[in-house]
Structures are given as C-alpha cells and as structure tokens.
Amino acid sequence: MTVHAATRGPVHRTERALAPDLARGGMLLFIAVANALGCVAGGMPGFVPSASGIDRGLDFFMFTFVHSRAYPVFAVMFGYGLVQLARRQERAGAEPRQVRSVLLRRNAWLVGFGLVHGVLLYFGDFLGAYGLVGIVATLLLLQRSDRVYRFVPWIWGFQLVYALVLFVITLTGVTTGTASVPFEQVGSLVAPDYATSVLDRLGEWPTHTATVLGFILIVWLGMWAARKRLLEDPASNRVLLRRVAIGGLSIAAAGGLPIALVSAGALSVDEPSASAMLMLHGVSGMFAGPGYVALFGLLALRLTKPSPFVGSIAALGQRSLSGYLLQSVVWLLALAPFTLALGTRFGSPTVTAILLAVVVWLVSVFAAGKLGSRPGPAEFVLRRLTYGRR
C-alpha cells in the first residue's frame, strides 16, 4: 500500500472516499434532467403544461424525486467538502489563519466562476451562491467548537415540524379547480438571440443567487456530517445512514406528491391550492439532500469492488464542477431558441430533454473515467487560482 503524505495542495486521488464522489457524480444526472427540462419549458419548474401521455408520468416522477431534490445533495456535499479541505490543511501543519485564507480564496474564485457561468451560459447558477455561503461558513462556522454544531439537529427538527404543519394545512385547504403547476417564465431561456439572453441573465443571476442563499442550513448539515465522518466510515454509521435515507427521502416524496399529482393530471385544484402545493414541494425538497447522500453512503458500503462504470461515476464526482459546466454549454447549444432548439423539433419536449440529459451525463461519465489522475479543466483552473503553481 502506498501512503501519500498530506500536503497543502489539491487532494490526491488515493485520499478520497468513494461515497462523496459517487454522490456528486450520480446526482449530476438529476441536475442534468432538471435543468434540461427547464430549458425546453422556458422557465421553472421544468414543466410543459401542454404535455400529455407518457410526459405526464415523467412529470410525476420529476416532481416527486428530482425537482428541488437534486441541488440539496450538492449543498450537503459542499459543506462536507469544506470540512474535509480544512482538515487536510490542518493535518499538513497549516495554522488556522492559513486554512481560512485558502478556503476564502477558493470560495471567492467560486463566486467568480458563478458570475461567468450565470451570465454567459445559464441563469440558474449555484456556483456563486456556493461561494458566498462558503465564505460565510468559513468565517462563522468552520473552525468553531462542537457547541456550534449542536444546533444542527434542532434546526432540522424545526424544519421537519414546519414541513409537517405545511403538509396538513395544504391538504386540508385543497379546493378543486382547473389550475396547473405554477410556472415562472425565464427571459433568458426564451430570448430570440444570444446577446439578448446575456442581457437577461445579467439581471437574473443576482436575483437567483440571492434566492438560494438560504441553503446555508443544508451546508451546515453537511459540515456537521463531515465532522462526524459519516461518509468516510459508513460501516460504523450504517444505522444512522439508513434512518436518514429512509426518513429524508420519505419526507421529500410525500411533500412532492400533491404537486406531482397535479402535474400528472390526476388531481384538479384551484390556483391557491396549487401554489401551496408547490411551496410544500420546495420545503420538503431539502430533506432529499441528506436522504440521497445517506443512500449513496449505504451504496458505497456495498461496493467493495466497484465496477469500471461505478468508478467512472465517482471520477465524474471528483470533477463535478467541469461536469456541471459542460451541461450548461450543451443546453445553450442544443436547446436555446436561437441555436438548435431541439426541444421543439420532436414530438415530446419532455422526452427529448430527458434523453439529451442522460446522453450528456453518460458522455461526461465516460470522459471522466478516461482522465485518470488528471483533473477536469474547471478543477484545474480553480486549483491553480487557489493554490498557485505549487
């Protein structure tokens, strides 16, 4: 066995645990599907009201398991990664101020990545928000005592009570009607040309970034999980991971079920009821983050000898930034009204978007598996900006 001493540069492949990378790589598929559907629909959530047939079944699946349920996974993993990076720096002998300096520099550059991504490619950027949350978490939470993290279970307990109360209020106030899923058109997704879309995104990116800053609670949970090493040692935490997977995913599915039934045409409600259901959908979706992460932790526990395909998914997880940016490039080239507009060229925009998302994800998995020990292009740039030429 070769032992690599920790350094203050990028993480070596042999130092990585399987579960976090597998979670990032696997959930990039759900991110791809959700964003591709948003592009063909021209707004959020990714839902085409005029769809019928098989599209309705796909909509039901999306609202139950994907929409507002994929990005919380990356928020959990972002918090987890903050603690892992800090811990590695400390093992290499870095002082607290040096650890903060590295993390602040990395997160500041992540904000820059988000700005470029959000203005030039796709309005629904999360990188900028991750960077801002990472700066706040580094300054206020990262190097604090365990007392700061004792609040995490209580906060999530409160969120659970809030979700349950909202669930009861929503279901008891349902009124029949002819409303569809509330939908918000996004200017940059329906712009007639690229220049107009860029101008639209200049206004959309700051607003979208501000609306998702609240996921610092999810990031905080990821930091709590990292301090307990839940994914580095899933065998010792099997019972907790199983409870979180079952509980988190059950809450998310139950909270998404009402609006999923509306999207599938199986439930007819009025506009206030549909709006309340969509709100419940968003609140309950945050529980899918820890639920899916715990599920991948249990899966990694069973994969004592990962197959080449599983290894490639984990390799994509190590290069999730490049994989995420690649998707946005494809959406712009293939789905925008002023480029190929593939969503309007075939019978079903929903099926087209999902098939394209799966193909893009598989290509990125294959490419990541072929890179070996080399980082993805986006990771290479971010590491160079963070650590310099060392």
Side-chain angles (χ1 to χ4, degrees):
M1 180 181 295
T2 302
V3 179
H4 295 271
T7 65
R8 290 175 55 200
V11 178
H12 195 279
R13 286 185 71 192
T14 56
E15 295 177 294
R16 306 185 72 105
L18 175 61
D21 290 332
L22 194 60
R24 294 186 185 98
M27 291 306 295
L28 272 176
L29 173 59
F30 277 16
I31 293 292
V33 172
N35 289 344
L37 280 171
C39 288
V40 300
M44 293 295 165
F47 170 72
V48 180
S50 60
S52 60
I54 188 175
D55 292 357
R56 289 309 188 200
L58 294 173
D59 287 333
F60 178 86
F61 175 84
M62 292 297 299
F63 278 99
T64 306
F65 299 107
V66 180
H67 287 318
S68 297
R69 278 134 181 79
Y71 83 83
V73 174
F74 288 88
V76 172
M77 298 314 304
F78 181 77
Y80 205 100
L82 284 177
V83 173
Q84 286 182 309
L85 286 171
R87 185 181 290 147
R88 186 169 180 277
Q89 296 288 318
E90 291 165 354
R91 286 202 307 266
E95 298 178 359
R97 62 178 180 81
Q98 294 174 312
V99 175
R100 286 194 300 271
S101 177
V102 168
L103 292 177
L104 290 175
R105 186 163 58 249
R106 185 178 189 275
N107 284 298
W109 280 114
L110 200 56
V111 175
F113 271 66
L115 175 61
V116 174
H117 173 237
V119 173
L120 298 184
L121 295 175
Y122 181 64
F123 90 101
D125 166 74
F126 277 89
L127 301 179
Y130 285 142
L132 292 174
V133 168
I135 291 173
V136 173
T138 299
L139 293 174
L140 300 183
L141 300 174
L142 187 60
Q143 294 173 316
R144 304 296 180 180
S145 67
D146 289 338
R147 287 179 295 179
V148 173
Y149 293 88
R150 291 174 184 172
F151 294 102
V152 173
W154 290 98
I155 291 174
W156 279 77
F158 173 79
Q159 290 293 326
L160 175 58
V161 172
Y162 175 58
L164 292 175
V165 171
L166 187 59
F167 184 83
V168 172
I169 293 175
T170 299
L171 294 190
T172 55
V174 171
T175 304
T176 58
T178 59
S180 182
V181 176
F183 178 81
E184 181 180 356
Q185 189 177 73
V186 176
S188 63
L189 296 181
V190 297
D193 54 73
Y194 180 68
T196 302
S197 72
V198 170
L199 290 176
D200 287 335
R201 283 191 290 271
L202 279 170
E204 293 164 355
W205 180 78
T207 302
H208 178 268
T209 300
T211 60
V212 296
L213 289 177
F215 65 53
I216 189 171
L217 295 179
I218 311 177
V219 172
W220 197 0
L221 176 68
M223 297 171 72
W224 173 85
R227 288 172 73 96
K228 293 184 174 296
R229 301 178 183 270
L230 296 186
L231 297 181
E232 287 98 328
D233 188 14
S236 300
N237 299 285
R238 189 195 309 263
V239 175
L240 177 59
L241 291 175
R242 186 181 296 118
R243 290 174 179 174
V244 172
I246 295 174
L249 295 178
S250 297
I251 294 168
L257 183 60
I259 199 67
L261 291 172
V262 174
S263 72
L267 184 62
S268 300
V269 298
D270 62 357
E271 291 186 5
S273 297
S275 296
M277 289 176 177
L278 189 62
M279 181 179 178
L280 172 64
H281 176 266
V283 171
S284 60
M286 65 185 295
F287 290 90
Y292 277 126
V293 168
L295 185 64
F296 277 100
L298 294 171
L299 179 61
L301 191 58
R302 291 181 172 272
L303 297 173
T304 54
K305 293 183 178 180
S307 67
F309 181 65
V310 171
S312 294
I313 295 176
L316 176 60
Q318 297 170 18
R319 302 161 179 87
S320 56
L321 178 58
S322 295
Y324 175 60
L325 294 176
L326 171 65
Q327 292 178 10
S328 295
V329 172
V330 175
W331 309 152
L332 181 65
L333 296 177
L335 299 177
F338 49 85
T339 54
L340 296 179
L342 294 183
T344 63
R345 296 180 183 273
F346 303 97
S348 169
T350 303
V351 173
T352 300
I354 292 176
L355 289 178
L356 178 62
V358 172
V359 170
V360 171
W361 179 76
L362 288 174
V363 169
S364 63
V365 167
F366 176 79
K370 292 297 183 181
L371 284 176
S373 60
R374 291 167 292 178
E379 284 75 17
F380 174 81
V381 174
L382 183 59
R383 290 176 181 181
R384 177 62 61 87
L385 292 171
T386 301
Y387 299 105
R389 291 182 176 271
R390 291 177 304 165

PDB file of all heavy atoms in Angstrom, residues 147-168:
ATOM      1  N   ARG A 147     -19.982  23.058  20.025  1.00  0.00           N
ATOM      2  CA  ARG A 147     -21.218  23.683  20.504  1.00  0.00           C
ATOM      3  C   ARG A 147     -22.005  24.328  19.360  1.00  0.00           C
ATOM      4  O   ARG A 147     -23.230  24.352  19.375  1.00  0.00           O
ATOM      5  CB  ARG A 147     -20.909  24.722  21.581  1.00  0.00           C
ATOM      6  CG  ARG A 147     -20.496  24.120  22.916  1.00  0.00           C
ATOM      7  CD  ARG A 147     -20.177  25.203  23.929  1.00  0.00           C
ATOM      8  NE  ARG A 147     -19.005  25.982  23.522  1.00  0.00           N
ATOM      9  CZ  ARG A 147     -18.513  26.998  24.218  1.00  0.00           C
ATOM     10  NH1 ARG A 147     -19.089  27.360  25.350  1.00  0.00           N
ATOM     11  NH2 ARG A 147     -17.442  27.639  23.801  1.00  0.00           N
ATOM     12  N   VAL A 148     -21.274  24.857  18.372  1.00  0.00           N
ATOM     13  CA  VAL A 148     -21.946  25.477  17.228  1.00  0.00           C
ATOM     14  C   VAL A 148     -22.757  24.442  16.453  1.00  0.00           C
ATOM     15  O   VAL A 148     -23.825  24.744  15.914  1.00  0.00           O
ATOM     16  CB  VAL A 148     -20.908  26.147  16.304  1.00  0.00           C
ATOM     17  CG1 VAL A 148     -21.559  26.648  15.021  1.00  0.00           C
ATOM     18  CG2 VAL A 148     -20.224  27.296  17.034  1.00  0.00           C
ATOM     19  N   TYR A 149     -22.277  23.204  16.417  1.00  0.00           N
ATOM     20  CA  TYR A 149     -22.916  22.169  15.612  1.00  0.00           C
ATOM     21  C   TYR A 149     -24.022  21.439  16.368  1.00  0.00           C
ATOM     22  O   TYR A 149     -24.751  20.653  15.765  1.00  0.00           O
ATOM     23  CB  TYR A 149     -21.855  21.179  15.118  1.00  0.00           C
ATOM     24  CG  TYR A 149     -20.904  21.825  14.139  1.00  0.00           C
ATOM     25  CD1 TYR A 149     -19.747  22.478  14.588  1.00  0.00           C
ATOM     26  CD2 TYR A 149     -21.165  21.814  12.780  1.00  0.00           C
ATOM     27  CE1 TYR A 149     -18.885  23.093  13.701  1.00  0.00           C
ATOM     28  CE2 TYR A 149     -20.302  22.432  11.884  1.00  0.00           C
ATOM     29  CZ  TYR A 149     -19.172  23.069  12.341  1.00  0.00           C
ATOM     30  OH  TYR A 149     -18.328  23.681  11.466  1.00  0.00           O
ATOM     31  N   ARG A 150     -24.141  21.691  17.657  1.00  0.00           N
ATOM     32  CA  ARG A 150     -25.232  21.071  18.409  1.00  0.00           C
ATOM     33  C   ARG A 150     -26.591  21.614  17.994  1.00  0.00           C
ATOM     34  O   ARG A 150     -27.623  20.985  18.243  1.00  0.00           O
ATOM     35  CB  ARG A 150     -25.022  21.301  19.909  1.00  0.00           C
ATOM     36  CG  ARG A 150     -23.834  20.538  20.486  1.00  0.00           C
ATOM     37  CD  ARG A 150     -23.600  20.911  21.934  1.00  0.00           C
ATOM     38  NE  ARG A 150     -22.398  20.260  22.465  1.00  0.00           N
ATOM     39  CZ  ARG A 150     -21.873  20.528  23.655  1.00  0.00           C
ATOM     40  NH1 ARG A 150     -22.433  21.434  24.442  1.00  0.00           N
ATOM     41  NH2 ARG A 150     -20.785  19.902  24.055  1.00  0.00           N
ATOM     42  N   PHE A 151     -26.593  22.796  17.356  1.00  0.00           N
ATOM     43  CA  PHE A 151     -27.852  23.379  16.921  1.00  0.00           C
ATOM     44  C   PHE A 151     -28.402  22.700  15.666  1.00  0.00           C
ATOM     45  O   PHE A 151     -29.581  22.843  15.357  1.00  0.00           O
ATOM     46  CB  PHE A 151     -27.675  24.879  16.641  1.00  0.00           C
ATOM     47  CG  PHE A 151     -27.357  25.699  17.847  1.00  0.00           C
ATOM     48  CD1 PHE A 151     -26.063  26.128  18.098  1.00  0.00           C
ATOM     49  CD2 PHE A 151     -28.361  26.045  18.748  1.00  0.00           C
ATOM     50  CE1 PHE A 151     -25.768  26.889  19.209  1.00  0.00           C
ATOM     51  CE2 PHE A 151     -28.071  26.805  19.871  1.00  0.00           C
ATOM     52  CZ  PHE A 151     -26.777  27.230  20.111  1.00  0.00           C
ATOM     53  N   VAL A 152     -27.542  21.994  14.924  1.00  0.00           N
ATOM     54  CA  VAL A 152     -27.959  21.450  13.636  1.00  0.00           C
ATOM     55  C   VAL A 152     -29.142  20.492  13.755  1.00  0.00           C
ATOM     56  O   VAL A 152     -30.147  20.651  13.048  1.00  0.00           O
ATOM     57  CB  VAL A 152     -26.767  20.776  12.929  1.00  0.00           C
ATOM     58  CG1 VAL A 152     -27.230  20.052  11.666  1.00  0.00           C
ATOM     59  CG2 VAL A 152     -25.708  21.815  12.584  1.00  0.00           C
ATOM     60  N   PRO A 153     -29.111  19.464  14.626  1.00  0.00           N
ATOM     61  CA  PRO A 153     -30.284  18.582  14.729  1.00  0.00           C
ATOM     62  C   PRO A 153     -31.547  19.332  15.150  1.00  0.00           C
ATOM     63  O   PRO A 153     -32.656  19.005  14.687  1.00  0.00           O
ATOM     64  CB  PRO A 153     -29.857  17.561  15.803  1.00  0.00           C
ATOM     65  CG  PRO A 153     -28.360  17.586  15.778  1.00  0.00           C
ATOM     66  CD  PRO A 153     -28.000  18.997  15.495  1.00  0.00           C
ATOM     67  N   TRP A 154     -31.411  20.345  15.998  1.00  0.00           N
ATOM     68  CA  TRP A 154     -32.582  21.105  16.437  1.00  0.00           C
ATOM     69  C   TRP A 154     -33.170  21.917  15.282  1.00  0.00           C
ATOM     70  O   TRP A 154     -34.398  22.000  15.129  1.00  0.00           O
ATOM     71  CB  TRP A 154     -32.204  22.039  17.584  1.00  0.00           C
ATOM     72  CG  TRP A 154     -31.901  21.315  18.853  1.00  0.00           C
ATOM     73  CD1 TRP A 154     -30.673  20.983  19.337  1.00  0.00           C
ATOM     74  CD2 TRP A 154     -32.851  20.798  19.798  1.00  0.00           C
ATOM     75  NE1 TRP A 154     -30.789  20.304  20.529  1.00  0.00           N
ATOM     76  CE2 TRP A 154     -32.115  20.177  20.835  1.00  0.00           C
ATOM     77  CE3 TRP A 154     -34.236  20.801  19.872  1.00  0.00           C
ATOM     78  CZ2 TRP A 154     -32.729  19.559  21.913  1.00  0.00           C
ATOM     79  CZ3 TRP A 154     -34.855  20.187  20.957  1.00  0.00           C
ATOM     80  CH2 TRP A 154     -34.103  19.586  21.958  1.00  0.00           C
ATOM     81  N   ILE A 155     -32.309  22.506  14.471  1.00  0.00           N
ATOM     82  CA  ILE A 155     -32.785  23.284  13.328  1.00  0.00           C
ATOM     83  C   ILE A 155     -33.529  22.392  12.351  1.00  0.00           C
ATOM     84  O   ILE A 155     -34.598  22.744  11.839  1.00  0.00           O
ATOM     85  CB  ILE A 155     -31.600  23.987  12.637  1.00  0.00           C
ATOM     86  CG1 ILE A 155     -31.044  25.087  13.549  1.00  0.00           C
ATOM     87  CG2 ILE A 155     -32.018  24.571  11.288  1.00  0.00           C
ATOM     88  CD1 ILE A 155     -29.787  25.733  13.021  1.00  0.00           C
ATOM     89  N   TRP A 156     -32.980  21.215  12.093  1.00  0.00           N
ATOM     90  CA  TRP A 156     -33.648  20.309  11.166  1.00  0.00           C
ATOM     91  C   TRP A 156     -34.913  19.704  11.764  1.00  0.00           C
ATOM     92  O   TRP A 156     -35.857  19.390  11.047  1.00  0.00           O
ATOM     93  CB  TRP A 156     -32.673  19.231  10.699  1.00  0.00           C
ATOM     94  CG  TRP A 156     -31.809  19.766   9.606  1.00  0.00           C
ATOM     95  CD1 TRP A 156     -30.742  20.602   9.732  1.00  0.00           C
ATOM     96  CD2 TRP A 156     -31.987  19.571   8.208  1.00  0.00           C
ATOM     97  NE1 TRP A 156     -30.233  20.932   8.502  1.00  0.00           N
ATOM     98  CE2 TRP A 156     -30.967  20.316   7.549  1.00  0.00           C
ATOM     99  CE3 TRP A 156     -32.881  18.842   7.447  1.00  0.00           C
ATOM    100  CZ2 TRP A 156     -30.845  20.338   6.158  1.00  0.00           C
ATOM    101  CZ3 TRP A 156     -32.753  18.855   6.058  1.00  0.00           C
ATOM    102  CH2 TRP A 156     -31.757  19.603   5.437  1.00  0.00           C
ATOM    103  N   GLY A 157     -34.920  19.568  13.078  1.00  0.00           N
ATOM    104  CA  GLY A 157     -36.161  19.149  13.734  1.00  0.00           C
ATOM    105  C   GLY A 157     -37.256  20.184  13.560  1.00  0.00           C
ATOM    106  O   GLY A 157     -38.422  19.852  13.300  1.00  0.00           O
ATOM    107  N   PHE A 158     -36.880  21.454  13.687  1.00  0.00           N
ATOM    108  CA  PHE A 158     -37.838  22.536  13.465  1.00  0.00           C
ATOM    109  C   PHE A 158     -38.326  22.538  12.019  1.00  0.00           C
ATOM    110  O   PHE A 158     -39.515  22.733  11.745  1.00  0.00           O
ATOM    111  CB  PHE A 158     -37.191  23.874  13.801  1.00  0.00           C
ATOM    112  CG  PHE A 158     -38.045  25.069  13.453  1.00  0.00           C
ATOM    113  CD1 PHE A 158     -39.087  25.468  14.273  1.00  0.00           C
ATOM    114  CD2 PHE A 158     -37.814  25.777  12.276  1.00  0.00           C
ATOM    115  CE1 PHE A 158     -39.881  26.552  13.940  1.00  0.00           C
ATOM    116  CE2 PHE A 158     -38.590  26.873  11.936  1.00  0.00           C
ATOM    117  CZ  PHE A 158     -39.635  27.262  12.768  1.00  0.00           C
ATOM    118  N   GLN A 159     -37.410  22.321  11.071  1.00  0.00           N
ATOM    119  CA  GLN A 159     -37.797  22.269   9.664  1.00  0.00           C
ATOM    120  C   GLN A 159     -38.768  21.125   9.397  1.00  0.00           C
ATOM    121  O   GLN A 159     -39.698  21.250   8.587  1.00  0.00           O
ATOM    122  CB  GLN A 159     -36.554  22.108   8.788  1.00  0.00           C
ATOM    123  CG  GLN A 159     -35.662  23.326   8.738  1.00  0.00           C
ATOM    124  CD  GLN A 159     -36.328  24.502   8.040  1.00  0.00           C
ATOM    125  OE1 GLN A 159     -37.093  24.342   7.107  1.00  0.00           O
ATOM    126  NE2 GLN A 159     -36.031  25.704   8.503  1.00  0.00           N
ATOM    127  N   LEU A 160     -38.563  20.013  10.081  1.00  0.00           N
ATOM    128  CA  LEU A 160     -39.466  18.876   9.923  1.00  0.00           C
ATOM    129  C   LEU A 160     -40.856  19.214  10.424  1.00  0.00           C
ATOM    130  O   LEU A 160     -41.868  18.924   9.763  1.00  0.00           O
ATOM    131  CB  LEU A 160     -38.908  17.653  10.672  1.00  0.00           C
ATOM    132  CG  LEU A 160     -39.807  16.418  10.704  1.00  0.00           C
ATOM    133  CD1 LEU A 160     -40.133  15.948   9.295  1.00  0.00           C
ATOM    134  CD2 LEU A 160     -39.146  15.303  11.506  1.00  0.00           C
ATOM    135  N   VAL A 161     -40.933  19.838  11.592  1.00  0.00           N
ATOM    136  CA  VAL A 161     -42.238  20.237  12.133  1.00  0.00           C
ATOM    137  C   VAL A 161     -42.925  21.221  11.186  1.00  0.00           C
ATOM    138  O   VAL A 161     -44.130  21.115  10.907  1.00  0.00           O
ATOM    139  CB  VAL A 161     -42.070  20.859  13.540  1.00  0.00           C
ATOM    140  CG1 VAL A 161     -43.391  21.457  14.017  1.00  0.00           C
ATOM    141  CG2 VAL A 161     -41.564  19.813  14.517  1.00  0.00           C
ATOM    142  N   TYR A 162     -42.140  22.179  10.672  1.00  0.00           N
ATOM    143  CA  TYR A 162     -42.689  23.162   9.737  1.00  0.00           C
ATOM    144  C   TYR A 162     -43.239  22.477   8.488  1.00  0.00           C
ATOM    145  O   TYR A 162     -44.336  22.808   8.008  1.00  0.00           O
ATOM    146  CB  TYR A 162     -41.602  24.160   9.354  1.00  0.00           C
ATOM    147  CG  TYR A 162     -42.009  25.158   8.301  1.00  0.00           C
ATOM    148  CD1 TYR A 162     -43.098  26.004   8.493  1.00  0.00           C
ATOM    149  CD2 TYR A 162     -41.297  25.262   7.113  1.00  0.00           C
ATOM    150  CE1 TYR A 162     -43.463  26.925   7.521  1.00  0.00           C
ATOM    151  CE2 TYR A 162     -41.648  26.178   6.140  1.00  0.00           C
ATOM    152  CZ  TYR A 162     -42.740  27.004   6.350  1.00  0.00           C
ATOM    153  OH  TYR A 162     -43.100  27.909   5.387  1.00  0.00           O
ATOM    154  N   ALA A 163     -42.487  21.508   7.951  1.00  0.00           N
ATOM    155  CA  ALA A 163     -42.943  20.789   6.762  1.00  0.00           C
ATOM    156  C   ALA A 163     -44.220  19.996   7.044  1.00  0.00           C
ATOM    157  O   ALA A 163     -45.139  19.962   6.203  1.00  0.00           O
ATOM    158  CB  ALA A 163     -41.840  19.855   6.266  1.00  0.00           C
ATOM    159  N   LEU A 164     -44.296  19.375   8.211  1.00  0.00           N
ATOM    160  CA  LEU A 164     -45.490  18.599   8.559  1.00  0.00           C
ATOM    161  C   LEU A 164     -46.714  19.506   8.720  1.00  0.00           C
ATOM    162  O   LEU A 164     -47.814  19.172   8.260  1.00  0.00           O
ATOM    163  CB  LEU A 164     -45.244  17.810   9.847  1.00  0.00           C
ATOM    164  CG  LEU A 164     -44.215  16.672   9.750  1.00  0.00           C
ATOM    165  CD1 LEU A 164     -43.975  16.059  11.122  1.00  0.00           C
ATOM    166  CD2 LEU A 164     -44.692  15.607   8.771  1.00  0.00           C
ATOM    167  N   VAL A 165     -46.532  20.651   9.381  1.00  0.00           N
ATOM    168  CA  VAL A 165     -47.639  21.596   9.539  1.00  0.00           C
ATOM    169  C   VAL A 165     -48.096  22.108   8.177  1.00  0.00           C
ATOM    170  O   VAL A 165     -49.291  22.196   7.889  1.00  0.00           O
ATOM    171  CB  VAL A 165     -47.221  22.766  10.457  1.00  0.00           C
ATOM    172  CG1 VAL A 165     -48.285  23.867  10.439  1.00  0.00           C
ATOM    173  CG2 VAL A 165     -46.985  22.268  11.872  1.00  0.00           C
ATOM    174  N   LEU A 166     -47.125  22.439   7.320  1.00  0.00           N
ATOM    175  CA  LEU A 166     -47.467  22.922   5.984  1.00  0.00           C
ATOM    176  C   LEU A 166     -48.174  21.843   5.179  1.00  0.00           C
ATOM    177  O   LEU A 166     -49.102  22.139   4.415  1.00  0.00           O
ATOM    178  CB  LEU A 166     -46.174  23.353   5.261  1.00  0.00           C
ATOM    179  CG  LEU A 166     -46.340  24.051   3.911  1.00  0.00           C
ATOM    180  CD1 LEU A 166     -47.168  25.321   4.057  1.00  0.00           C
ATOM    181  CD2 LEU A 166     -44.971  24.373   3.308  1.00  0.00           C
ATOM    182  N   PHE A 167     -47.780  20.596   5.368  1.00  0.00           N
ATOM    183  CA  PHE A 167     -48.424  19.477   4.679  1.00  0.00           C
ATOM    184  C   PHE A 167     -49.891  19.368   5.080  1.00  0.00           C
ATOM    185  O   PHE A 167     -50.781  19.229   4.235  1.00  0.00           O
ATOM    186  CB  PHE A 167     -47.677  18.180   5.022  1.00  0.00           C
ATOM    187  CG  PHE A 167     -48.187  16.967   4.296  1.00  0.00           C
ATOM    188  CD1 PHE A 167     -47.768  16.693   3.007  1.00  0.00           C
ATOM    189  CD2 PHE A 167     -49.072  16.098   4.913  1.00  0.00           C
ATOM    190  CE1 PHE A 167     -48.222  15.570   2.326  1.00  0.00           C
ATOM    191  CE2 PHE A 167     -49.536  14.974   4.255  1.00  0.00           C
ATOM    192  CZ  PHE A 167     -49.107  14.706   2.959  1.00  0.00           C
ATOM    193  N   VAL A 168     -50.149  19.461   6.387  1.00  0.00           N
ATOM    194  CA  VAL A 168     -51.525  19.360   6.876  1.00  0.00           C
ATOM    195  C   VAL A 168     -52.359  20.541   6.385  1.00  0.00           C
ATOM    196  O   VAL A 168     -53.499  20.372   5.911  1.00  0.00           O
ATOM    197  CB  VAL A 168     -51.548  19.284   8.419  1.00  0.00           C
ATOM    198  CG1 VAL A 168     -52.977  19.366   8.938  1.00  0.00           C
ATOM    199  CG2 VAL A 168     -50.862  18.007   8.896  1.00  0.00           C
TER     200      VAL A 168
END
